[in-house]
């Protein structure tokens, strides 16, 4: 393993910062699969933190399937592409300079496109009246909303209810990961999706289709909406990528 530089930790949120620093080194491939981390004692000295903070961070890395702690305390980096789950997406979305990883972002948008119609269809089968009542109440709130940020919040709540209505735990966990990924770019998403957030007739129609139990129609409605909003994000990512390439030149 080559020499990897570490930075002293700001002690306001020690274990989180230790985790973030090690996680960033792993997903950036500075620490490669098969590399061994320094011992707890050495890491605590290098980072300027307590061994407890290092131990907590390594435990989180282990839970995220980024490292494996072997017998005797040796900690080995795993190949996150083969071992980790969707919870890692927020860490992959930005590089260490805070720039969006465009390929990762496109993959997240594509995942949203694939899952959303299925979620809506299953909600129409399993959710029906109870889910539709909740959806209608959210759309009523969207009608009254003025600020784009409030529309964005309610739109996410709308999809959150659809996920509940689908009755599918896999969709729920995937949605949780997507929502966590969106948090750092929430304001940016609000700007990109401004036009689609105001398609209140589409939200109302989707709620009605869920109430009717019309699975195929609900899927079609959701797909049209998601494809439109996804195209807005793709256009932004294309511009972002071109701008980044021009700066390099």
């Amino acid at each position: 393993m080559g020499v990897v530089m570490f930075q002293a930790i700001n002690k306001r949120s020690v274990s989180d910062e230790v985790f973030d620093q090690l996680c960033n080194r792993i997903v950036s491939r500075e620490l490669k699969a098969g590399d061994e981390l320094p011992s707890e004692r050495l890491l605590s000295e290098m980072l300027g933190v307590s061994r407890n903070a290092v131990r907590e961070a390594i435990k989180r890395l282990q839970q995220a399937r980024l490292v494996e702690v072997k017998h005797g305390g040796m900690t080995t980096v795993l190949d996150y592409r083969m071992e980790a789950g969707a919870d890692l997406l927020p860490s992959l979305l930005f590089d260490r300079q805070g720039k969006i990883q465009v390929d990762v972002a496109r993959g997240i948008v594509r995942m949203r496109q694939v899952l959303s119609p299925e979620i809506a269809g299953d909600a129409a089968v399993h959710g029906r009246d109870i889910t539709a009542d909740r959806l209608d109440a959210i759309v009523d709130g969207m009608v009254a909303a003025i600020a784009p940020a409030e529309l964005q919040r309610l739109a996410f709540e709308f999809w959150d209810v659809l996920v509940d209505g689908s009755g599918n735990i896999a969709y729920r966990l995937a949605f949780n990961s997507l929502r966590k990924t969106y948090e750092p770019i929430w304001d940016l998403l609000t700007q990109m999706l401004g036009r689609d957030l105001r398609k209140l007739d589409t939200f109302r129609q989707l709620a009605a289709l869920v109430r009717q139990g019309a699975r195929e129609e609900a899927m079609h409605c959701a797909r049209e909406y998601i494809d439109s909003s996804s195209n807005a994000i793709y256009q932004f990512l294309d511009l972002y990528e071109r701008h980044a390439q021009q700066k390099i030149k």
Side-chain angles (χ1 to χ4, degrees), residues 16-239:
D16 285 346
E17 291 199 32
V18 174
F19 171 82
D20 287 343
Q21 189 171 149
L22 292 173
C23 180
N24 287 337
R25 297 296 192 274
I26 292 170
V27 300
S28 67
R29 304 283 179 111
E30 287 184 57
L31 291 168
K32 298 178 176 60
D35 285 349
E36 294 177 7
L37 293 186
S39 66
E40 278 185 11
R41 179 186 61 78
L42 186 54
L43 269 176
S44 68
E45 292 175 359
M46 296 169 73
L47 298 170
V49 301
S50 70
R51 291 183 66 171
N52 281 340
V54 171
R55 190 174 299 118
E56 289 176 16
I58 289 177
K59 185 176 181 180
R60 287 180 59 193
L61 291 170
Q62 187 179 15
Q63 291 169 342
R65 297 298 298 158
L66 294 176
V67 302
E68 180 181 24
V69 180
K70 298 181 178 179
H71 182 69
M74 185 181 299
T75 303
T76 305
V77 176
L78 297 174
D79 183 348
Y80 72 85
R81 291 177 180 271
M82 301 299 295
E83 300 286 347
D87 286 347
L88 189 60
L89 286 173
S91 299
L92 294 172
L93 184 56
F94 297 95
D95 65 17
R96 289 181 58 196
Q97 287 72 46
K99 297 176 182 177
I100 296 174
Q101 300 276 62
V102 174
D103 287 345
V104 174
R106 288 193 181 109
I108 292 168
V109 176
R110 181 57 185 154
M111 180 180 175
R112 172 178 176 263
Q113 280 185 284
V114 171
L115 288 180
S116 297
E118 296 294 335
I119 290 170
D122 282 4
V125 173
H126 302 291
R128 302 297 296 271
D129 288 345
I130 294 176
T131 298
D133 287 345
R134 295 173 65 192
L135 295 175
D136 280 335
I138 293 170
V139 178
D140 289 342
M142 295 177 76
V143 171
I146 298 175
E150 179 64 5
L151 272 175
Q152 169 83 319
R153 184 190 68 78
L154 289 168
F156 267 79
E157 186 178 340
F158 185 95
W159 282 99
D160 191 74
V161 170
L162 279 175
V163 172
D164 276 350
S166 75
N168 188 316
I169 186 60
Y171 291 161
R172 164 51 61 193
L173 297 179
F175 183 83
N176 292 346
S177 296
L178 286 174
R179 182 172 53 194
K180 187 77 172 176
T181 305
Y182 297 149
E183 287 176 0
I185 56 170
W186 187 262
D187 292 341
L188 183 59
L189 280 174
T190 301
Q191 296 176 38
M192 286 189 287
L193 302 179
R195 180 181 299 178
D196 291 282
L197 291 173
R198 297 190 181 280
K199 294 180 178 178
L200 303 185
D201 288 345
T202 300
F203 286 97
R204 187 74 78 186
Q205 179 187 9
L206 187 49
L209 292 170
V210 169
R211 188 181 300 279
Q212 295 165 20
R215 185 178 195 277
E216 294 301 321
E217 291 84 351
M219 290 181 66
H220 178 75
C221 182
R223 185 176 293 110
E224 283 196 333
Y225 175 80
I226 290 297
D227 284 351
S228 174
S229 59
S230 296
N231 286 336
I233 301 174
Y234 286 137
Q235 289 173 13
F236 166 81
L237 291 173
D238 289 344
L239 289 172

Side-chain angles (χ1 to χ4, degrees), residues 2-20:
V3 176
V4 178
M5 299 301 294
F6 294 91
Q7 300 171 359
I9 293 297
N10 185 322
K11 294 181 174 58
R12 284 176 296 180
S13 53
V14 182
S15 63
D16 285 346
E17 291 199 32
V18 174
F19 171 82
D20 287 343

